[in-house]
């Protein structure tokens, strides 16, 4: 059996999740939004830091939260739902049926196993769209963020990615659109997304911490938002002299610019969203907030070459001090940004 959906627009993206949702929302709802706006409307910005002994180095650090894909549809008022499936055969039958019915289908899995990607790091939250399959050839056809054409993946690799037998698994997570229109206006969605981001970064909403803690098997230590930034910075100062110090520094650098962040630990995307938000909700977002969002994006991007230099010279006192100061500056900027947004958004936006 085989099937292929040919009328799906594939635009390359800086980040897998916002890229996939941008194309899916356009397909199902005829709503064409820039990728940074998609990321921001999903309240994607975060700083998730948690210990994970099975990884090397033994922690993970993400610049976005776990639920951006469902949060953008929630904020826009689109009926989109995601679910997991423990049985691999049932999981394939469900998404296969969606494709047979002409429905491009969101999937999630560990990018490490996808054989069309040369990706050497386990990341279980990669997002991509199933467009077709050929069971006789044992091939699946996937829209990913890297090209304008569909990728060919072996069905065995796809199955392993979706339900990995080691590390953190996405448990065959997939998503389905049940509506084809947004019930919230763009200004309404913008306000909801801003409030959601503020509450998560400031710590009154701990949903992202709880989701990641559960996915990581109840890890004892997990922090998100400004607390996540603070925890990572505190640990960073203790890494000097550790046997894997270069691995730790290199991982943080990659988390900022390499792991599909769209630049600056996702802050480039959020800065574009803040510029758009100033036009949509001038009552909530002013020039100062836009300037702070652009500043933190620049600060994250500037941290990357400092970390690369430190990885080459891990005994350099001046580089350790410079990186630590840069992390302090980042924390201060984001503290100001979400403090100012909180002053205008909290209480002004009804959930």
């Amino acid at each position: 059996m085989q099937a292929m959906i040919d009328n799906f627009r594939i635009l390359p993206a800086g980040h897998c999740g916002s890229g996939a949702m941008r194309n899916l929302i356009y397909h199902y709802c005829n709503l064409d939004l820039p990728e940074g706006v998609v990321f921001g409307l999903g309240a994607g910005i975060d700083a998730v830091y948690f210990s994970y002994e099975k990884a090397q180095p033994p922690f993970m650090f993400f610049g976005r939260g776990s639920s951006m894909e469902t949060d953008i549809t929630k904020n826009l008022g689109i009926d989109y739902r995601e679910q997991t499936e423990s049985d691999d055969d049932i999981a394939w039958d469900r998404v296969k049926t969606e494709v047979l019915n002409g429905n491009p289908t969101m999937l999630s899995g560990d990018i490490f196993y996808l054989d069309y990607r040369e990706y050497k790091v386990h990341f279980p939250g990669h997002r991509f769209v199933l467009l077709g399959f050929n069971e006789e050839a044992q091939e699946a056809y996937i829209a990913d963020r890297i090209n304008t054409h569909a990728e060919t993946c072996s069905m065995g690799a796809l199955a392993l990615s979706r339900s990995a037998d080691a590390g953190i698994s996405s448990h065959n997570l997939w998503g389905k659109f049940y509506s084809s229109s947004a019930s919230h206006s763009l200004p309404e969605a913008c306000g909801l997304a801003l409030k959601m981001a503020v509450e998560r970064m400031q710590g009154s909403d701990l949903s992202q911490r709880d989701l990641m803690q559960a996915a990581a098997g109840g890890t004892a230590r997990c922090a998100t938002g400004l607390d996540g930034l603070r925890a990572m910075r505190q640990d960073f100062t203790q890494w000097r002299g550790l046997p894997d110090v270069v691995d730790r520094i290199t991982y943080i650098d990659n988390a900022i610019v390499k792991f599909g962040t769209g630049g600056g630990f996702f802050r480039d995307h959020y800065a574009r969203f803040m510029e758009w938000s100033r036009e949509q909700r001038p009552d909530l977002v002013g020039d100062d907030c836009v300037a702070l969002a652009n500043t933190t994006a620049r600060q994250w991007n500037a941290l990357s070459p400092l970390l690369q230099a430190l990885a080459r010279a891990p005994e350099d006192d001046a580089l350790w001090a410079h990186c630590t100061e840069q992390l302090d500056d980042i924390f201060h900027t984001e503290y100001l940004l979400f403090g100012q947004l909180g002053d205008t958004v909290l209480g002004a936006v009804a959930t």
Side-chain angles (χ1 to χ4, degrees):
M1 184 179 293
Q2 59 183 305
M4 184 67 188
I5 297 168
D6 294 320
N7 64 339
F8 186 75
R9 183 193 70 173
I10 308 174
L11 294 182
H15 167 54
C16 62
S18 50
M21 288 306 294
R22 179 188 187 187
N23 290 327
L24 285 165
I25 289 171
Y26 176 76
H27 181 88
Y28 283 103
C29 305
N30 197 32
L31 186 59
D32 197 2
L33 299 169
E35 186 187 356
V37 172
V38 170
F39 180 80
L41 285 176
I45 192 157
D46 212 322
V48 182
Y49 181 71
F50 63 98
S51 57
Y52 191 61
E53 296 302 322
K54 296 179 182 179
Q56 182 55 44
F59 63 89
M60 290 191 177
F61 189 44
F62 303 143
R64 56 147 290 183
S66 300
S67 59
M68 186 211 77
E69 290 78 9
T70 53
D71 287 334
I72 181 176
T73 53
K74 177 182 178 181
N75 290 331
L76 284 168
I78 298 169
D79 188 0
Y80 167 80
R81 307 172 211 170
E82 295 189 340
Q83 65 183 72
T84 58
E85 175 52 61
S86 60
D87 186 292
D88 292 349
D89 291 334
I90 293 174
W92 171 246
D93 284 342
R94 287 182 172 170
V95 297
K96 168 184 163 181
T97 299
E98 289 298 315
V99 171
L100 287 170
N101 289 332
N103 300 325
T105 300
M106 173 73 91
L107 301 182
S108 181
D110 191 334
I111 192 174
F112 179 85
Y113 298 108
L114 297 174
D115 51 17
Y116 63 90
R117 297 293 299 265
E118 295 181 357
Y119 206 83
K120 305 306 180 184
V121 177
H122 285 282
F123 175 63
H126 185 57
R127 295 294 187 130
F128 45 99
V129 180
L130 182 65
L131 295 180
F133 61 88
N134 183 327
E135 290 183 318
E136 181 178 355
Q138 285 293 289
E139 292 178 345
Y141 308 113
I142 290 167
D144 209 329
R145 74 174 185 86
I146 51 177
N147 287 308
T148 58
H149 58 76
E151 312 290 341
T152 299
C153 183
S154 71
M155 291 180 65
L158 176 60
L160 184 57
S161 172
R162 297 186 66 211
S163 183
D165 56 6
I168 302 175
S169 173
S170 61
H171 302 291
N172 295 303
L173 183 72
W174 68 285
K176 179 178 175 64
F177 280 77
Y178 290 87
S179 68
S180 58
S181 62
S183 62
H184 298 158
S185 70
L186 290 178
E188 287 172 332
C190 180
L192 292 170
L194 289 166
K195 182 178 182 181
M196 188 179 284
V198 167
E199 290 175 341
R200 290 174 180 174
M201 289 298 291
Q202 290 187 341
S204 61
D205 175 354
L206 296 175
S207 60
Q208 303 305 291
R209 184 202 66 180
D210 295 343
L211 284 169
M212 187 52 65
Q213 202 160 30
T219 182
R221 186 177 186 214
C222 182
T224 55
L226 293 172
D227 285 343
L229 287 178
R230 186 184 294 110
M232 195 283 289
R233 187 267 184 208
Q234 290 173 345
D235 280 7
F236 177 82
T237 62
Q238 307 301 314
W239 290 348
R240 186 171 182 178
L242 293 178
D244 63 347
V245 61
V246 173
D247 288 343
R248 291 172 183 250
I249 295 168
T250 301
Y251 173 86
I252 294 297
D253 173 46
N254 288 339
I256 295 170
V257 296
K258 186 176 180 181
F259 294 159
T261 68
F265 203 54
F266 296 97
R267 272 51 183 177
D268 283 0
H269 276 343
Y270 204 72
R272 303 293 78 74
F273 170 68
M274 291 300 295
E275 292 167 356
W276 179 85
S277 297
R278 177 177 52 189
E279 304 302 318
Q280 296 290 325
R281 294 300 302 264
D283 57 320
L284 302 179
V285 178
D287 290 343
D288 287 349
C289 287
V290 173
L292 286 168
N294 279 294
T295 296
T296 188
R298 289 193 299 270
Q299 288 172 329
W300 277 107
N301 283 310
L303 178 60
S304 174
L306 292 175
L307 291 170
Q308 292 170 18
L310 183 60
R312 294 190 295 268
E315 298 302 320
D316 190 311
D317 291 339
L319 281 173
W320 277 101
H322 200 170
C323 288
T324 303
E325 290 170 2
Q326 189 73 1
L327 285 168
D328 287 340
D329 288 345
I330 288 168
F331 179 88
H332 178 68
T333 302
E334 298 203 357
Y335 180 87
L336 290 177
L337 170 60
F338 291 99
Q340 289 193 25
L341 281 174
D343 289 343
T344 58
V345 171
L346 299 181
V349 177
T351 302

